[in-house]
Amino acid sequence: MEKPMTMGRPGRRAFLSTVALVIAAPIVLRGTMACSAEPVTAKIKNGILRGVRAKGALSFKGIPYAAGTAGANRFKAPQPVADWHGERDATKYGSLSPQINTGMSGPVFGWYNQDEPLGEDCCVLNVFTPDLDTNAKRPVMFYIHGGGYINGGGGGAGLDGSNLARYGDVVVVTINHRLNAFGYTNLSHLDPEHFGDAANAGNLDIVAALEWVRDNITQFGGDSGSVTVFGQSGGGSKIMTLLAMPKAQGLFHRAISMSGAAGLNVDPAAAMEPYVNTFIKELGVDPKNLAAAQQIPMQTVLDARTRAVAASFEGARPVIDGKHIVVRPMAPEGLAMHAKVPMLLGSTKTEASLFFQSDMRNFTLTEEQMRVRLRTAFKIDDAKVDAIMAAYRKASPDMTPSDILVAVASDVQFRLPLTGAAETKSGATGQAPVYMYNFNWTIPWQNGVLGSPHAVDIPFAFGTVNEAGEMTGPGDDAIEASMNLMAAFVSFARTGNPNNARMPDWKPYDTTTRTTMLVDATCETASDWRGDALREVSTLKIDPFNRAALYRYEA
């Protein structure tokens, strides 16, 4: 492996004056800015919005981009918003999509939690901007939240876009959209005439939000011709499926997927039929009268979905329906659809540690315990385990059994699929460049036992490390890492190239150099980072019926 190339930290003042980013004023990432909120209004196509000026930026929250989705609109494509008279309050986040859990497990992820009510009036978005100069033509950074396809939202302290908007002189948009049974229930095999959009209704909501940006973002100083979608985990996965949606073409121009591997292997609609049949049975609805399901109480729908998932080992997710999602994104036809879209793909160093931390004994495993996990979850023998251990320890000789288990789970589920996508896009003719990064900043909690877990990079991308102080701890390293990640994302949003003054030269990914930027308080470039290990686990697949065996502690 090529020795990583490092770059020292330029001072904050030097960075803020670079031509790569147009920064109005130095940003405070650690500590609270002393300023009171002031009302401000903006006029869009549907009417006048009343937002606030705070944290050095303007924010407008809970803006409807589609009508409510209850009753006759449930399981249907999003419908237009009715105009309103007078000023509409846009100072608070809107409803979250109906879901079971709105938080994240673990003692250091309080910044992720959202307290807004659940409701089917959840097609709302939030805008953060430095000012309302309609001639500014700022790049738009459109964020899609994580939580798989079942929970999450675009609000909360960690996703406040004020710092990112001010830091990068960009317009930041975050959204809510339909999830789980409400957003991804394939009913087309039961009633294609009336419910042919239900399978991908959640993605159609995202398209509607992008259309809202196209039609309205100029009023907030944004450029509808320069929209970058970025999202973490489920959000990054939804971005992958958007790449294969004809209706989304031209609504965004660059894409950043943070740990969004699941959307690469979207399945045909038929794969979801057994789960949907079970779900409809649990609802107590006649399959020949699906309209009855539109009137069932929200909580009853959620409860029926929970039972259906338990019975079928399946859950709601996008599918190739031949209508809205027509192909897998990295298939030849998919590549043709996003040939002009530059991509930035990344993961965190120890993604899977988030899922192991429900039982901290997972981080003190013996070698035999680790071997049992690998043999059971991946259906491999001891010779293969030996080869895997050797490959990982070749790059990092001091890896413990728990370190190896976390690394294998992280690579198989996240980095390996994203690397494969980068290789496919970079190796195809006529494609825009693709760049890769790995976020390596270590959580200091309990002496760094979690490493860099899944979702750690969210507050770093938004510049909300202060709000995530329980996770990031004291000191300037978190600030430096945040400025590095934001610098890369903002540069990419401006030009389709993440190079910036804070990092060493960052080349596009290709199958020869396999360049990855290792993002931390100090950044490094690496060629074929941990490549031997990735190739050793490249054929591993988690047995879906033994997935729990990977994460469950057994003495």
Side-chain angles (χ1 to χ4, degrees), residues 18-32:
T18 61
V19 296
L21 304 176
V22 183
I23 310 298
I27 187 168
V28 179
L29 295 182
R30 185 72 73 191
T32 303

Side-chain angles (χ1 to χ4, degrees), residues 223-487:
D223 181 1
S224 62
S226 180
V227 178
T228 297
V229 289
F230 72 122
Q232 187 271 342
S233 192
S237 296
K238 293 163 198 166
I239 286 170
M240 294 301 185
T241 55
L242 286 174
L243 293 169
M245 291 186 70
K247 196 172 182 180
Q249 302 303 295
L251 295 176
F252 63 93
H253 313 91
R254 289 166 285 282
I256 303 173
S257 179
M258 308 159 64
S259 309
L264 291 166
N265 294 320
V266 58
D267 290 325
M272 297 298 290
E273 291 179 8
Y275 154 74
V276 171
N277 293 340
T278 303
F279 168 65
I280 294 300
K281 181 179 179 181
E282 292 292 340
L283 275 181
V285 170
D286 182 348
K288 297 180 180 179
N289 181 26
L290 293 181
Q294 295 176 310
Q295 307 306 319
I296 292 175
M298 179 179 77
Q299 188 60 49
T300 303
V301 175
L302 288 171
D303 293 342
R305 178 198 169 271
T306 298
R307 295 192 299 272
V309 170
S312 63
F313 294 98
E314 187 53 273
R317 53 190 171 88
V319 294
I320 297 173
D321 59 2
K323 180 179 181 182
H324 298 302
I325 299 178
V326 296
V327 69
R328 285 185 171 181
M330 293 301 156
E333 299 89 342
L335 287 166
M337 294 176 70
H338 57 81
K340 296 182 179 180
V341 178
M343 298 181 68
L344 178 56
L345 307 178
S347 55
T348 68
K349 187 175 182 179
T350 58
E351 297 267 9
S353 62
L354 175 68
F355 313 116
F356 285 107
Q357 57 88 36
S358 60
D359 190 329
M360 296 304 292
R361 294 177 295 178
N362 284 320
F363 298 100
T364 56
L365 298 178
T366 66
E367 181 175 316
E368 182 53 33
Q369 287 174 316
M370 178 266 289
R371 285 179 174 275
V372 169
R373 299 276 191 100
L374 292 180
R375 289 196 304 259
T376 304
F378 297 109
K379 301 298 183 184
I380 57 177
D381 59 21
D382 274 318
K384 181 64 174 179
V385 175
D386 288 340
I388 289 171
M389 291 174 63
Y392 278 97
R393 284 178 171 161
K394 179 180 179 181
S396 303
D398 59 345
M399 291 184 79
T400 68
S402 292
D403 291 339
I404 292 173
L405 183 66
V406 169
V408 172
S410 301
D411 288 346
V412 170
Q413 293 181 87
F414 295 98
R415 182 163 176 81
L416 191 60
L418 290 169
T419 301
E423 297 206 348
T424 299
K425 186 172 177 69
S426 66
T429 302
Q431 291 288 315
V434 55
Y435 297 83
M436 288 207 73
Y437 74 90
N438 213 73
F439 189 76
N440 287 9
W441 191 85
T442 297
I443 288 180
W445 181 74
Q446 290 201 7
N447 297 316
V449 66
L450 294 182
S452 310
H454 189 67
V456 66
D457 46 349
I458 297 173
F460 289 82
F462 276 85
T464 53
V465 291
N466 181 52
E467 287 76 4
E470 185 181 18
M471 179 181 77
T472 60
D476 286 345
D477 274 0
I479 297 174
E480 295 293 339
S482 179
M483 292 174 75
N484 289 338
L485 192 61
M486 285 195 293

